[in-house]
Amino acid sequence: MNSDQQIAELQRGADEVLLAADLVKKLKRGVPLRVKAGFDPTAPDLHLGHTVLLTKMRRFQDFGHEVTFLIGDFTSLIGDPSGRNVTRPALSAEEIQTNARTYEAQVFKVLDRGKTRIDFNSRWLSKLTAEDVVRLSAHYTVARMLERDDFSKRYRAGVPISIHEFLYPLAQGYDSVAMRADVELGGTDQKFNLLVGRTLQEAYGQEPQVVMTVPLLVGTDGVNKMSKSLGNYIGITEDPDSMFGKIMSISDELMWRYFELLSFRPLAEIATLKREASDGRNPRDIKFELAREIVARFHDAAAAERAHRNFIARVSQKAVPDDLPLRVIAVDGAGLRVANLLKEAGLAVSTSEGNRKIDEGAVRIDGTRVTDKGLTLKAGAEHVIQVGAKRFARLRLEPKA
Amino acid sequence: MNSDQQIAELQRGADEVLLAADLVKKLKRGVPLRVKAGFDPTAPDLHLGHTVLLTKMRRFQDFGHEVTFLIGDFTSLIGDPSGRNVTRPALSAEEIQTNARTYEAQVFKVLDRGKTRIDFNSRWLSKLTAEDVVRLSAHYTVARMLERDDFSKRYRAGVPISIHEFLYPLAQGYDSVAMRADVELGGTDQKFNLLVGRTLQEAYGQEPQVVMTVPLLVGTDGVNKMSKSLGNYIGITEDPDSMFGKIMSISDELMWRYFELLSFRPLAEIATLKREASDGRNPRDIKFELAREIVARFHDAAAAERAHRNFIARVSQKAVPDDLPLRVIAVDGAGLRVANLLKEAGLAVSTSEGNRKIDEGAVRIDGTRVTDKGLTLKAGAEHVIQVGAKRFARLRLEPKA
């Protein structure tokens, strides 16, 4: 991949890059960049939304950069000392270690284990003295801190902001100083804090980091951000069938966003898929590829295969036999009309019977009723074909040799 | 002294006491109170204005309380890390020690050396970790901090406030926690910071300190607060003659304020002096007593005596002989009219000549021309009497045995 392609891959799907020109400059030096992303050490139970950031980290790893998964244990050791926010209790060092191990079990489904450095910001933050904190906080003003969206809203509304809340963004910014980060990745809601890092690095005589924010992933409902409480999430520990089914339930439009944000396929491959779709390839087959990639990532290839088969069977009809044998049918580049397929599969004695069955509304492919006798199926996919309530075939369409 | 008198003496001249009822409650326990006052470790060159606070501390010492002269070396080790304020450079530990010794040489003119504890807030503040600072700062809100007069003005005016400036009042407040202070004394401009101490002590489960602010001393011009830059100050290291003369230059009205704020005399004695003044005693004589007390404090009794004599001589006339012998004249309770005094002192052959000389405008007492033949001098003072340009007498009027 040439350098322009690398830059495009690294910025792919990013919400904002500050400053993209700096990123190019840093990349052109040819030295691996120090890339940082911070995570709360709360007990993780990740869903695909969380993996957008991990996927971005993975992309940097794939291009040879040094990626640190930074666990922000320092502040969690403290919790919310004001005692106002009962949802943020202080975590013990032991709980943090347990949570860190839970993280590891999950994030290495996306990150490259051999290329990931896991670190804890308590390593340097707990060594700071009161004097260091005073020096640190001299580099940022109250007015700028109050510009942060949530602070400014609370201040205007008269909702108390404790002074220690001003110290958290400074602590996070100091992480970048301590790590001499070249790039910090985070969610869009982290933008302010990531920019504090730039300011502090400059104050400490360092080249400021590039800040890259990744967008929130839209959930399976296609409307709201993926979230557990909205029920529109796909958990990364969900069983293969559930995960596969949920991915298949997203709209064709959202599918492309998922490809951009979650798939490890290079942009060029995705462009090819898009061309195929506009050339008439069934989007459902393309979505199968996405679902198989994601399920294989969080489980394995065999599980993805099984989930695919089960999905087809399940959506075809509850009555699809579990032990339906797979038949391979060779098709040429032009593909095969449904009536021809029915005949080849032994589900109709002739193409005319096949077409009649279509007219009767008795034919389903992967559970969806076929109404268009002109529908052509191409090689490269697997389908459950059904005629009436009882006759089934599981077919794999392969290109003619 | 009974307890009510003690309470009156302790609150004497105070600008504000928060809360006076708490002070009474603490005093009534009969346990010595821990009294704290903080000082910057900048090179001190004190004037009487600074000693208002020291005098208040002394009053607490006189009633058996534990007074700590707290040197705020912690923040000065840091200076102004933003580098914006060039007038506040960081002080080295050595400079701070030197300044502390300079302080000691000056403040023990007012404080009781044997009863004064000198401490440095770096003792506990430098031991705080970043975590401690976060916990500390959780106990105060941004909105309350921005209520501080100078902060709110700067914030509204768009003048940057660095976040570390929010940490200083918290550090000062934490001093009260570390010392478990019962009372904190300070200037009126310190009121906000002293109240932070109350808030933090409560947050740390302590009984909040009583906050007592002392007023700014008006300078010799009778108008502005005493300040070196205004030239209306009386430095505590000034030579006795200069100090004596400056005190004598203040108005009679301001004199009573100085008595209240600077004199060690109990309130009852001052009340007596006021009665004497309203009974016709020359305010000048009363001012002499103030000047002698103050000069004796910062030099010694003999120096005060000489300064008194020199002052009389100086203001009487430049020509007053340096070696003018002192004569003692006994007067009864009713006092002595000026003409009689002139006769007794041998400056007139008869009281009629004395009265004629007064009519001629030739008679001066302590440099001031006498115009009222009815003026009566009472026992208890020393004066230089002058008739014409050449005839002088230094007289001490003592009560008839």
Side-chain angles (χ1 to χ4, degrees):
Chain A
M1 233 179 236
N2 67 35
S3 134
D4 284 348
Q5 282 170 322
Q6 275 193 29
I7 289 166
E9 282 290 349
L10 289 174
Q11 299 193 52
R12 159 179 173 180
D15 193 65
E16 205 170 359
V17 182
L18 300 152
L19 302 163
D22 283 1
L23 178 61
V24 172
K25 194 176 74 184
K26 284 175 186 263
L27 285 169
K28 294 247 157 123
R29 285 185 198 135
V31 180
L33 302 182
R34 280 178 298 268
V35 180
K36 162 204 179 196
F39 295 84
D40 273 338
T42 42
D45 184 7
L46 304 184
H47 57 58
L48 285 190
H50 299 115
T51 70
V52 173
L53 179 56
L54 296 170
T55 305
K56 176 64 69 188
M57 294 164 76
R58 170 61 184 253
R59 219 149 258 143
F60 275 91
Q61 290 183 321
D62 288 342
F63 290 115
H65 301 291
E66 295 168 8
V67 170
T68 299
F69 184 92
L70 182 65
I71 297 182
D73 62 332
F74 175 75
T75 44
S76 287
L77 274 172
I78 298 164
D80 186 342
S82 67
R84 251 199 306 277
N85 187 347
V86 288
T87 64
R88 263 194 95 170
L91 296 178
S92 70
E94 202 180 311
E95 286 171 313
I96 288 169
Q97 283 301 329
T98 304
N99 291 344
R101 280 190 298 271
T102 315
Y103 257 129
E104 290 183 37
Q106 298 184 52
V107 300
F108 288 129
K109 305 288 190 177
V110 181
L111 296 180
D112 183 332
R113 188 186 293 264
K115 291 179 180 168
T116 305
R117 193 161 159 249
I118 293 192
D119 213 336
F120 296 84
N121 68 358
S122 63
R123 251 189 353 110
W124 46 84
L125 289 176
S126 67
K127 282 190 197 123
L128 292 188
T129 63
E131 188 177 328
D132 295 329
V133 176
V134 173
R135 282 185 204 285
L136 173 63
S137 60
H139 294 301
Y140 216 82
T141 70
V142 171
R144 284 185 73 186
M145 200 58 91
L146 279 175
E147 282 167 13
R148 202 176 85 171
D149 206 39
D150 55 336
F151 285 153
S152 83
K153 277 183 193 142
R154 284 164 62 192
Y155 187 64
R156 279 199 306 267
V159 178
I161 304 163
S162 283
I163 290 166
H164 81 286
E165 298 184 71
F166 276 13
L167 299 182
Y168 288 155
L170 293 173
Q172 185 173 342
Y174 185 76
D175 290 343
S176 295
V177 174
M179 298 169 69
R180 306 186 72 87
D182 289 306
V183 178
E184 183 163 8
L185 307 176
T188 49
D189 57 340
Q190 283 291 305
K191 181 178 163 189
F192 180 94
N193 292 350
L194 307 189
L195 289 175
V196 172
R198 278 181 70 90
T199 304
L200 293 183
Q201 283 181 309
E202 286 197 288
Y204 283 80
Q206 296 180 17
E207 184 180 281
Q209 64 188 7
V210 170
V211 161
M212 191 185 292
T213 54
V214 297
L216 293 169
L217 190 70
V218 171
T220 51
D221 58 2
V223 178
N224 299 301
K225 67 162 189 165
M226 184 172 285
S227 125
K228 207 149 192 188
S229 59
L230 292 175
N232 62 354
Y233 70 101
I234 305 172
I236 68 168
T237 54
E238 285 190 42
D239 68 77
D241 286 332
S242 166
M243 191 180 276
F244 198 98
K246 283 185 176 182
I247 295 169
M248 290 310 295
S249 77
I250 67 174
S251 71
D252 296 347
E253 194 191 344
L254 187 57
M255 169 183 77
W256 294 116
R257 189 69 172 147
Y258 276 38
F259 265 116
E260 187 181 22
L261 295 175
L262 302 175
S263 171
F264 287 177
R265 292 167 193 251
L267 287 168
E269 269 187 52
I270 295 172
T272 303
L273 289 174
K274 282 189 177 165
R275 266 197 309 280
E276 290 175 7
S278 61
D279 286 350
R281 184 173 174 203
N282 191 340
R284 191 179 148 110
D285 293 342
I286 301 173
K287 211 177 289 171
F288 278 143
E289 299 201 29
L290 175 70
R292 288 174 70 115
E293 179 184 348
I294 301 296
V295 174
R297 178 178 307 157
F298 295 106
H299 297 280
D300 56 41
E305 174 76 30
R306 274 193 308 273
H308 188 179
R309 207 179 312 134
N310 293 344
F311 175 82
I312 290 171
R314 199 169 60 247
V315 300
S316 298
Q317 199 178 51
K318 292 260 151 42
V320 176
D322 277 354
D323 54 354
L324 205 59
L326 180 69
R327 289 182 50 190
V328 175
I329 292 182
V331 297
D332 61 23
L336 210 57
R337 289 191 173 224
V338 178
N340 296 75
L341 193 68
L342 292 174
K343 186 180 163 218
E344 294 267 339
L347 295 173
V349 291
S350 63
T351 54
S352 355
E353 193 205 347
N355 280 327
R356 201 169 53 244
K357 290 289 176 192
I358 291 172
D359 286 338
E360 288 168 7
V363 177
R364 289 172 181 265
I365 298 182
D366 300 331
T368 304
R369 192 186 307 273
V370 177
T371 51
D372 174 12
K373 282 181 288 198
L375 180 66
T376 301
L377 299 179
K378 306 216 173 200
E382 197 176 304
H383 302 283
V384 169
I385 315 283
Q386 180 180 3
V387 178
K390 308 268 177 187
R391 296 156 72 192
F392 296 94
R394 172 172 290 124
L395 307 177
R396 181 180 296 153
L397 277 54
E398 291 196 347
K400 231 166 218 164
Chain B
M1 232 178 237
N2 66 36
S3 133
D4 285 348
Q5 282 171 322
Q6 277 193 28
I7 290 166
E9 282 291 348
L10 289 174
Q11 298 196 50
R12 164 179 171 180
D15 194 64
E16 205 168 359
V17 182
L18 299 151
L19 302 163
D22 284 1
L23 178 61
V24 172
K25 192 177 76 186
K26 284 174 186 260
L27 285 169
K28 293 246 158 125
R29 285 185 196 135
V31 180
L33 302 182
R34 285 177 294 268
V35 180
K36 162 204 179 196
F39 295 84
D40 272 339
T42 43
D45 185 7
L46 304 184
H47 57 57
L48 285 190
H50 300 114
T51 70
V52 173
L53 180 55
L54 297 171
T55 306
K56 177 62 70 189
M57 295 164 76
R58 171 60 184 253
R59 220 150 258 142
F60 275 91
Q61 291 182 319
D62 289 342
F63 290 115
H65 302 291
E66 294 168 8
V67 170
T68 299
F69 184 93
L70 182 65
I71 297 181
D73 62 332
F74 175 75
T75 45
S76 287
L77 274 171
I78 299 163
D80 185 344
S82 67
R84 251 199 308 276
N85 185 350
V86 289
T87 64
R88 263 193 95 169
L91 295 178
S92 69
E94 203 179 311
E95 286 171 313
I96 287 169
Q97 282 301 329
T98 305
N99 292 345
R101 281 189 296 273
T102 318
Y103 256 130
E104 291 183 36
Q106 297 182 53
V107 300
F108 289 128
K109 304 287 189 179
V110 181
L111 296 180
D112 183 332
R113 186 185 294 264
K115 293 178 178 166
T116 305
R117 191 159 162 250
I118 293 191
D119 213 335
F120 297 85
N121 67 359
S122 62
R123 253 193 345 114
W124 46 84
L125 289 176
S126 67
K127 283 189 197 126
L128 292 187
T129 64
E131 189 177 328
D132 295 328
V133 176
V134 174
R135 282 184 204 284
L136 174 62
S137 60
H139 295 299
Y140 216 83
T141 70
V142 172
R144 284 184 74 185
M145 199 60 92
L146 279 174
E147 282 167 13
R148 201 175 86 172
D149 206 39
D150 55 337
F151 285 153
S152 83
K153 277 182 192 142
R154 283 165 62 192
Y155 186 65
R156 281 198 305 265
V159 178
I161 304 165
S162 282
I163 290 164
H164 81 287
E165 299 183 72
F166 275 12
L167 300 182
Y168 288 156
L170 293 174
Q172 185 174 342
Y174 185 75
D175 291 343
S176 295
V177 174
M179 298 169 69
R180 306 186 72 86
D182 289 305
V183 178
E184 183 161 9
L185 307 175
T188 49
D189 56 339
Q190 283 290 306
K191 182 178 160 188
F192 181 93
N193 292 350
L194 307 190
L195 289 176
V196 173
R198 278 180 69 88
T199 303
L200 293 183
Q201 284 181 307
E202 286 196 286
Y204 283 81
Q206 297 180 15
E207 185 181 280
Q209 64 188 6
V210 170
V211 161
M212 193 185 291
T213 55
V214 298
L216 294 168
L217 190 70
V218 170
T220 52
D221 58 3
V223 178
N224 298 302
K225 68 160 189 165
M226 184 173 283
S227 123
K228 208 149 190 183
S229 59
L230 292 174
N232 64 352
Y233 70 102
I234 306 173
I236 69 166
T237 53
E238 287 192 40
D239 68 76
D241 287 332
S242 165
M243 192 180 277
F244 198 99
K246 283 186 176 182
I247 294 168
M248 291 308 297
S249 78
I250 68 174
S251 72
D252 296 347
E253 194 191 343
L254 188 55
M255 169 183 77
W256 295 116
R257 188 71 171 146
Y258 277 39
F259 265 116
E260 187 182 19
L261 296 174
L262 302 174
S263 172
F264 287 177
R265 291 167 193 251
L267 288 167
E269 270 187 51
I270 296 172
T272 303
L273 289 173
K274 282 189 176 166
R275 266 197 309 279
E276 290 175 5
S278 61
D279 286 350
R281 187 176 170 197
N282 191 340
R284 192 181 148 111
D285 293 343
I286 301 172
K287 209 177 289 170
F288 277 144
E289 298 198 32
L290 175 70
R292 287 175 71 119
E293 178 185 347
I294 301 296
V295 173
R297 177 179 307 159
F298 294 106
H299 298 280
D300 57 41
E305 174 78 29
R306 277 193 306 274
H308 188 181
R309 208 179 310 136
N310 292 344
F311 175 81
I312 291 171
R314 200 169 60 248
V315 301
S316 298
Q317 200 178 52
K318 292 263 150 44
V320 176
D322 275 353
D323 55 355
L324 203 59
L326 179 70
R327 286 182 51 190
V328 174
I329 290 180
V331 297
D332 61 23
L336 212 55
R337 288 190 173 226
V338 177
N340 296 74
L341 192 69
L342 293 174
K343 185 181 164 218
E344 291 270 336
L347 296 172
V349 292
S350 62
T351 55
S352 354
E353 193 206 346
N355 279 327
R356 202 167 54 244
K357 290 288 177 196
I358 290 172
D359 286 341
E360 287 168 7
V363 177
R364 287 169 184 269
I365 297 181
D366 299 331
T368 304
R369 193 185 308 273
V370 177
T371 51
D372 173 12
K373 281 180 291 199
L375 181 66
T376 302
L377 300 179
K378 305 214 173 204
E382 198 177 301
H383 302 282
V384 168
I385 316 283
Q386 179 179 6
V387 178
K390 306 272 175 187
R391 293 154 75 193
F392 295 94
R394 171 173 288 123
L395 306 178
R396 180 181 294 152
L397 276 54
E398 291 197 344
K400 226 165 224 168

